């Protein structure tokens, strides 16, 4: 774990114009993991993509953190199903010319 | 430039209230938002349309202007030109993916009526990642048998990338920070490349395994022998057991397709024997087969 890979939550709040409490709510529902780095609540930089997505869903669709959790879980399921469908589609290609 | 019916886009009548507009927009936004429809270009297009419709209809000033000049936008343009030197801006490159809003998300119609600056700010100077670009690359099965380098042109820029052996049909590879510029100094988006693998070989592929059918003459099938089989990287000689049945499958270990990102690892090749019966038998052959039949 390298401290330079973490961004203080307070800095993210300024960058995205959101309240600190919003990040804590996301942490509470398990959407993000806030860690104390040098006594400062911080987030790993790899979480930035998902944080931006969460902020957009919250701001633009007016969905609360619990709702975002549901949306993200469903999207993961959709993604999994898409991959399964792709695998099945590729498998079917084996037989396409036979009929 | 064609007229856009913003009321129709939101499914509203011209006398819709502010509340109706808000409700219709929110409902459609939840349905078509790119974050809840990843990789769906049609949903993204629809979202841009409803977003634009909302930008116009939820703003009383814009709505009044649209209601007055909407269908006759050319006059509105003239009117506006006379009123103030309106800044024209052009839509830039074809971008897909979603990383937040940008001026490029608005139609020419919107720009001509309201200008780029008419859009209300969303979050002020908030920094957001740039848009993700999506590209599709057609490759042959032979192309993806070996890792190779390729140069792609995306939005006018050449990107040289290594395509790892074993890429699957429909697989998406993300190339970080090769997407659109960030908004307000945010980081660049990513480039997502979807591979479409075209197979014109005699091999069928299932993940890392390959499948092929080999013709076997009756006598080799009955008495055993050898057969030369094509694999993806050359020919191999196979021993055929006596009394081999039609449809028998043999596995050639490690002669299949390369395993993605596992150098030196290969799937298997499955060879199915298809026994070819002799045709155009001579009288002598017929007699011999009749004698053989009597022996059974």
């Amino acid at each position: 774990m390298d401290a330079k890979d973490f961004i203080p939550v307070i800095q993210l709040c300024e960058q995205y114009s959101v309240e600190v409490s919003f990040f804590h709510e996301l942490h509470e529902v398990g959407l993000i993991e806030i860690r104390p780095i040098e006594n400062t609540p911080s987030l790993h930089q790899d979480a930035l993509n998902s944080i931006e997505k969460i902020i957009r869903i919250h701001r633009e669709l007016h969905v609360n953190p619990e709702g975002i959790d549901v949306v993200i879980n469903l999207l993961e399921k959709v993604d999994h199903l898409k991959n399964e469908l792709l695998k099945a589609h590729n498998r079917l290609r084996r037989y396409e010319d036979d009929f | 430039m064609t007229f856009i019916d913003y009321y129709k886009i939101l499914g509203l009548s011209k006398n819709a209230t502010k509340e109706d507009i808000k409700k219709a927009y929110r409902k459609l936004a939840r349905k078509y938002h790119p974050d809840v429809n990843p990789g769906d270009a049609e949903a993204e297009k629809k979202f841009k349309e409803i977003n634009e419709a909302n930008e116009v209809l939820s703003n009383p000033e814009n709505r009044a202007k649209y209601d007055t000049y909407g269908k006759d936008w050319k006059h509105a343009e003239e009117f506006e030109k006379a009123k103030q030197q309106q800044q024209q801006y052009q839509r830039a490159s074809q971008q897909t993916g979603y990383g937040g809003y940008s001026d490029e998300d608005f139609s020419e119609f919107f720009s001509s009526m309201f200008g780029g600056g008419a859009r209300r700010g969303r979050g002020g100077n908030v920094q957001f990642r740039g848009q993700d670009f999506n590209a599709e690359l057609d490759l042959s099965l032979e192309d993806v048998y070996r890792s190779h380098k390729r140069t792609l042109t995306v939005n006018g820029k050449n990107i040289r990338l290594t395509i790892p052996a074993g890429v699957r049909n429909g697989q998406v590879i993300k190339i970080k920070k090769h997407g659109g510029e960030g908004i307000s100094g945010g980081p660049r988006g990513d480039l997502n490349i979807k591979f479409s693998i075209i197979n014109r070989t005699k091999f069928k592929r299932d993940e890392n395994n390959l499948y092929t059918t080999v013709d076997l003459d009756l006598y080799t099938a009955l008495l055993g022998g050898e057969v030369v089989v094509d694999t993806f990287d050359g020919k191999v000689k196979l021993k055929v057991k006596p009394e081999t049945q039609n449809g028998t499958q043999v596995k050639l270990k490690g002669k299949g397709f390369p395993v993605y990102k596992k150098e030196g690892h290969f799937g298997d090749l499955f060879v199915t024997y298809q026994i070819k019966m002799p045709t155009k038998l001579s009288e002598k052959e017929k007699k011999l087969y009749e004698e053989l039949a009597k022996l059974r």
Side-chain angles (χ1 to χ4, degrees):
Chain A
M1 195 174 65
D2 201 338
K4 71 175 171 44
D5 293 337
F6 285 82
I7 306 162
V9 168
I10 195 80
Q11 196 181 323
L12 292 170
C13 290
E14 280 170 26
Q15 188 170 343
Y16 297 121
S17 302
V18 288
E19 298 289 328
V20 178
S21 60
F22 179 69
F23 279 98
H24 287 290
E25 277 185 71
L26 296 178
H27 176 79
E28 286 301 310
V29 294
L31 279 165
I32 56 170
E33 194 190 350
I34 297 175
R35 288 193 196 182
I37 304 292
E38 291 161 2
N39 292 325
T40 309
S42 306
L43 278 161
H44 197 274
Q45 60 181 15
D46 286 352
L48 279 183
N49 275 5
S50 62
I51 287 167
E52 289 191 354
K53 189 174 178 175
I54 288 166
I55 292 171
R56 287 196 300 266
I57 294 173
H58 175 65
R59 275 206 188 124
E60 295 162 19
L61 302 180
H62 310 275
V63 182
N64 66 13
E66 288 83 358
I68 295 169
D69 193 28
V70 173
V71 169
I72 288 184
N73 284 331
L74 288 173
L75 284 174
E76 279 172 8
K77 277 188 187 170
V78 170
D79 199 40
H80 174 72
L81 289 172
K82 269 188 185 169
N83 281 333
E84 288 297 308
L85 186 67
L86 182 64
K87 271 189 199 171
H89 173 76
N90 285 341
R91 191 158 289 165
L92 274 176
R93 286 173 66 173
R94 263 180 65 197
Y95 307 100
E96 272 173 0
D97 298 337
D98 296 343
F99 296 102
Chain B
M1 200 179 349
T2 46
F3 168 73
I4 299 171
D5 188 341
Y6 292 134
Y7 288 101
K8 199 176 165 190
I9 286 170
L10 293 183
L12 297 167
S13 64
K14 256 196 141 182
N15 52 14
T17 64
K18 213 175 166 182
E19 227 11 75
D20 292 336
I21 292 163
K22 193 172 163 186
K23 207 172 148 187
Y25 168 71
R26 285 191 176 183
K27 189 162 175 55
L28 289 168
R30 283 196 295 271
K31 190 173 176 184
Y32 295 109
H33 196 281
D35 281 321
V36 294
N37 294 278
D40 185 344
E42 201 51 47
E44 190 188 329
K45 189 176 159 235
K46 193 95 183 153
F47 180 72
K48 283 174 182 171
E49 284 172 6
I50 60 169
N51 188 47
E52 184 175 306
N54 182 57
E55 289 293 332
V56 175
L57 301 183
S58 66
N59 178 312
E61 202 185 313
N62 284 350
R63 187 180 177 185
K65 188 178 162 189
Y66 175 77
D67 286 344
T68 312
Y69 300 106
K71 284 199 186 237
D72 212 2
W73 55 267
K74 276 186 180 169
H75 292 293
E77 202 171 26
E78 285 160 20
F79 174 81
E80 285 302 309
K81 269 181 192 165
K83 200 174 167 190
Q84 62 186 30
Q85 289 293 315
Q86 192 184 49
Q87 280 188 337
Q88 292 274 338
Y89 88 106
Q90 289 181 325
R91 286 183 79 185
S93 53
Q94 291 177 340
Q95 295 178 345
T96 57
Y98 189 67
Y101 290 90
S102 76
D103 281 348
E104 287 150 12
D105 292 339
F106 291 82
S107 72
E108 267 183 81
F109 174 78
F110 179 94
S111 311
S112 73
M113 274 198 86
F114 306 105
R119 189 164 64 86
R120 283 171 292 154
R122 283 181 183 259
N125 290 323
V126 177
Q127 293 182 336
F128 274 108
R129 257 178 85 242
Q131 287 186 317
D132 287 344
F133 289 171
N134 295 321
E136 198 161 325
L137 184 60
D138 288 342
L139 295 170
S140 70
L141 196 63
E142 292 96 323
D143 287 337
V144 290
Y145 187 74
R146 287 185 178 85
S147 296
H148 67 283
K149 288 191 190 297
R150 204 168 264 241
T151 304
L152 286 184
T153 306
V154 179
N155 275 46
K157 282 180 187 164
N158 287 340
I159 298 163
R160 192 155 166 79
L161 70 146
T162 301
I163 297 166
V167 162
R168 285 192 294 273
N169 183 51
Q171 188 172 340
V172 178
I173 289 183
K174 188 187 284 282
I175 299 169
K176 288 199 166 182
K177 293 182 179 157
H178 278 79
E181 293 280 353
I183 296 160
S184 308
R188 288 186 79 108
D190 300 329
L191 168 64
N192 300 315
I193 300 172
K194 186 177 178 182
F195 294 95
S196 178
I197 315 287
I198 300 149
N199 181 6
R200 291 193 186 93
T201 70
K202 60 177 168 184
F203 300 97
K204 305 264 180 173
R205 181 186 180 195
D206 181 14
E207 304 281 299
N208 307 315
N209 293 331
L210 290 174
Y211 296 80
T212 192
T213 303
V214 168
D215 289 346
L216 208 60
D217 68 84
L218 178 68
Y219 308 103
T220 310
L222 277 171
L223 307 169
E226 283 181 341
V227 65
V228 176
V229 173
D230 286 323
T231 70
F232 220 89
D233 65 348
K235 292 179 187 296
V236 291
K237 205 181 269 182
L238 286 184
K239 276 194 173 161
V240 181
K241 286 181 188 166
E243 298 173 22
T244 292
Q245 298 296 309
N246 188 44
T248 299
Q249 197 174 57
V250 290
K251 182 167 92 174
L252 304 189
K253 212 169 162 49
K255 286 289 179 187
F257 219 69
V259 180
Y260 180 68
K261 288 208 166 167
K262 278 191 177 173
E263 215 177 314
H265 287 71
F266 288 81
D268 303 324
L269 169 64
F270 291 86
V271 177
T272 303
Y273 291 131
Q274 187 173 283
I275 299 169
K276 288 283 168 193
M277 302 302 284
T279 54
K280 294 175 186 164
L281 298 178
S282 65
E283 282 305 313
K284 195 179 174 186
E285 281 176 314
K286 272 185 197 169
K287 275 183 186 162
L288 287 168
Y289 279 115
E290 279 162 9
E291 275 182 46
L292 281 172
K294 282 175 197 162
L295 293 172
R296 299 296 291 182

